[in-house]
Amino acid sequence: MSRAAEEQRLMHDDDTTDTAGAADPAGPADAAGPQPSSLGGLRVLDLATLFAGPLAATLLGDFGAEVIKVEHPRRPDPSRGHGPSKDGVGLWWKLLGRNKRNITLDLSSPDGRDVLLRLAAGADVIIENFRPGTLEKWGLGWEELSAANPRLVLARVTGFGQFGPYSRRPGFGTLAEAMSGFAAMTGEPEGPPTLPPFGLADSIAALSTAYAVMAAIAGRDRTGCGQVVDMAIIEPMLAVLGPQPIWYDQLGYVQPRTGNRSNNNAPRNTYRTRDGSWVAVSTSAQSIAERVMRLVGRPEFIDEPWFASGAQRARHADELDAAVGDWIARHDRADVVTAFEEAQAAIAPVYEIGDVMADPQYRALGTIAEVPDEELGTIRMQNVLFRLSGTPGAIKWAGRPHGADTDAVLTGIGLEPADIAALRESGAVR
């Protein structure tokens, strides 16, 4: 058993996940009591801010890792102030900070450095997103951290990676969305490149970082040694764009902006219903395309030679969109969805978030969980990302107040009350 696992066992007595207050992600059959967690015994120090690094730590915490969020004593994580708040409490933080214990620590101070090294000695993973060289400047680089704990995994999440001509530039997800080619292919053909209205690149990088951490932990289990994860946010964004590089390499092909349409199939678009709602239709499969045309009363298209492949149908998108759009415009959304379902054709209503919260499929899956919170009462947020039948994840608590667990965590690594008081006096903790 690792040192972190043994310490956690002593602190928590068992390796079970408390599912109180959260929708049971494994389904009603497993709701009788707590179950073992997948990542119980794994200790993660989250030193990162905005947003890829902290979200990666959240994903690990959702499946049982003990995550300790380290914030500056006088400059809390900026996500606490991002977006709307209620009664002065940031709501985004409640999501991003869930399942994390919160301490304050000034890593740039000598006292803060010493405490971080003590924490690192009992940790399995550190996630950070400072500019390259910052931890080294504070005496907390890989050399010092691995000396304190040779089994440690250090995940470094930056815009452009740890080396190369752009490595020291400030980097955000927006820049990755631009530089990956995503923005250039997104939007209407005659319009400008379009950026997403949310942290798409950061979220993809967070998923990738959580995966990379688990790969590094698996490697450590085989070799006995920790290692560094170098995650550049520009790279996972490029990875999800599919065959763009190989198309360009082999054909010189650059995918243009096509709006909601696709070069690979048609009809594929959003269409407005009679009652002013919108629906999305996809015909990636030939059989689905044929069902749609029969449903909308235009079966003659099926006999056209060009209808036999998605790429050829895409060249006739104007005609197909007109046929589908005219039929949908004559019916209310509920009737359109019902008719498509009965025809076994692919359709989805275009939801706003209120629709998501009320949808019966999301309810059946438990996608939105109710979580008790000491500051706001019961709050609703996205549940854990997937369901495991044997070791499910759970939301144990929402994001906690700044520094709420400083004393408990520092006491857990052997500091006496007088030591903690001295750290407060020096400004190393709050």
Side-chain angles (χ1 to χ4, degrees):
M1 179 179 291
S2 71
R3 177 175 175 180
E6 175 63 15
E7 289 178 357
Q8 180 150 325
R9 185 188 68 78
L10 293 172
M11 292 173 66
H12 301 293
D13 291 330
D14 58 34
D15 183 29
T16 58
T17 298
D18 179 9
T19 57
D24 181 6
D30 295 307
Q35 294 178 282
S37 59
S38 299
L39 302 181
L42 192 75
R43 179 173 291 178
V44 179
L45 302 180
D46 175 10
L47 313 185
T49 59
L50 294 180
F51 282 101
L55 180 55
T58 302
L59 297 172
L60 298 173
D62 283 349
F63 286 89
E66 180 196 359
V67 181
I68 299 173
K69 173 69 178 181
V70 179
E71 297 180 79
H72 194 280
R74 293 165 295 282
R75 295 189 296 277
D77 190 298
S79 65
R80 291 182 181 273
H82 254 61
S85 62
K86 181 181 180 182
D87 300 332
V89 178
L91 299 178
W92 201 334
W93 167 253
K94 289 297 177 183
L95 174 67
L96 194 63
R98 73 188 191 191
N99 292 340
K100 299 179 183 181
R101 304 168 76 196
N102 286 265
I103 71 169
T104 63
L105 197 60
D106 183 353
L107 302 180
S108 66
S109 71
D111 288 342
R113 172 190 179 276
D114 292 344
V115 172
L116 194 281
L117 289 174
R118 291 185 66 164
L119 287 167
D124 297 284
V125 180
I126 290 179
I127 300 176
E128 64 97 3
N129 70 337
F130 300 105
R131 288 199 207 182
T134 300
L135 284 185
E136 286 76 9
K137 178 179 66 177
W138 295 337
L140 291 170
W142 176 239
E143 183 178 346
E144 292 85 359
L145 291 171
S146 60
N149 182 356
R151 292 175 55 82
L152 183 70
V153 170
L154 174 63
R156 316 195 77 167
V157 185
T158 57
F160 302 103
Q162 294 295 310
F163 57 91
Y166 304 159
S167 61
R168 298 189 66 82
R169 290 183 182 179
F172 299 98
T174 298
L175 309 188
E177 290 147 9
M179 288 183 63
S180 64
F182 170 84
M185 70 174 73
T186 304
E188 294 300 322
E190 304 304 320
T194 302
L195 296 167
F198 63 98
L200 178 61
D202 278 305
S203 298
I204 293 171
L207 290 163
S208 303
T209 300
Y211 167 50
V213 164
M214 296 315 301
I217 291 293
R220 183 192 71 179
D221 290 344
R222 289 168 172 79
T223 67
C225 297
Q227 58 186 300
V228 177
V229 173
D230 180 3
M231 178 63 65
I233 296 175
I234 57 173
E235 291 183 303
M237 191 68 198
L238 180 61
V240 301
L241 295 185
Q244 308 300 320
I246 196 169
W247 282 347
Y248 182 78
D249 174 63
Q250 294 296 304
L251 303 172
Y253 175 75
V254 177
Q255 182 169 321
R257 288 191 288 282
T258 58
N260 290 328
R261 289 179 172 176
S262 168
N263 287 332
N264 302 308
N265 68 82
R268 190 260 197 186
N269 214 326
T270 57
Y271 306 92
R272 189 162 188 158
T273 62
R274 182 171 62 185
D275 54 357
S277 298
W278 292 84
V279 293
V281 172
S282 175
T283 58
S284 296
Q286 181 69 22
S287 60
I288 299 294
E290 294 176 5
R291 291 170 192 166
V292 169
M293 301 322 296
R294 292 190 185 100
L295 172 63
V296 303
R298 301 298 299 273
E300 69 273 14
F301 280 120
I302 299 171
D303 298 325
E304 294 287 346
W306 51 261
F307 198 85
S309 78
Q312 291 185 75
R313 292 199 310 273
R315 298 188 185 100
H316 294 262
D318 287 343
E319 300 164 71
L320 296 172
D321 272 347
V324 175
D326 288 349
W327 185 89
I328 288 176
R330 297 196 301 271
H331 301 81
D332 291 344
R333 184 176 82 175
D335 295 331
V336 170
V337 172
T338 298
F340 268 71
E341 289 180 346
E342 290 176 349
Q344 298 185 51
I347 193 169
V350 177
Y351 277 172
E352 295 181 350
I353 191 61
D355 301 311
V356 172
M357 303 285 270
D359 182 85
Q361 180 62 31
Y362 282 124
R363 286 183 180 273
L365 295 173
T367 305
I368 303 298
E370 291 190 353
V371 182
D373 182 69
E374 60 192 283
E375 295 179 292
L376 298 175
T378 299
I379 58 180
R380 292 188 292 168
M381 64 176 66
Q382 300 96 315
N383 210 333
V384 300
L385 193 58
F386 47 84
R387 286 161 293 281
L388 296 179
S389 61
T391 55
I395 304 171
K396 294 173 285 187
W397 59 79
R400 287 169 52 72
H402 184 225
D405 304 295
T406 298
D407 284 32
V409 171
L410 297 187
T411 299
I413 60 171
L415 272 67
E416 300 292 336
D419 300 323
I420 299 172
L423 289 170
R424 283 203 168 91
E425 182 67 24
S426 73
V429 303
R430 179 176 181 271

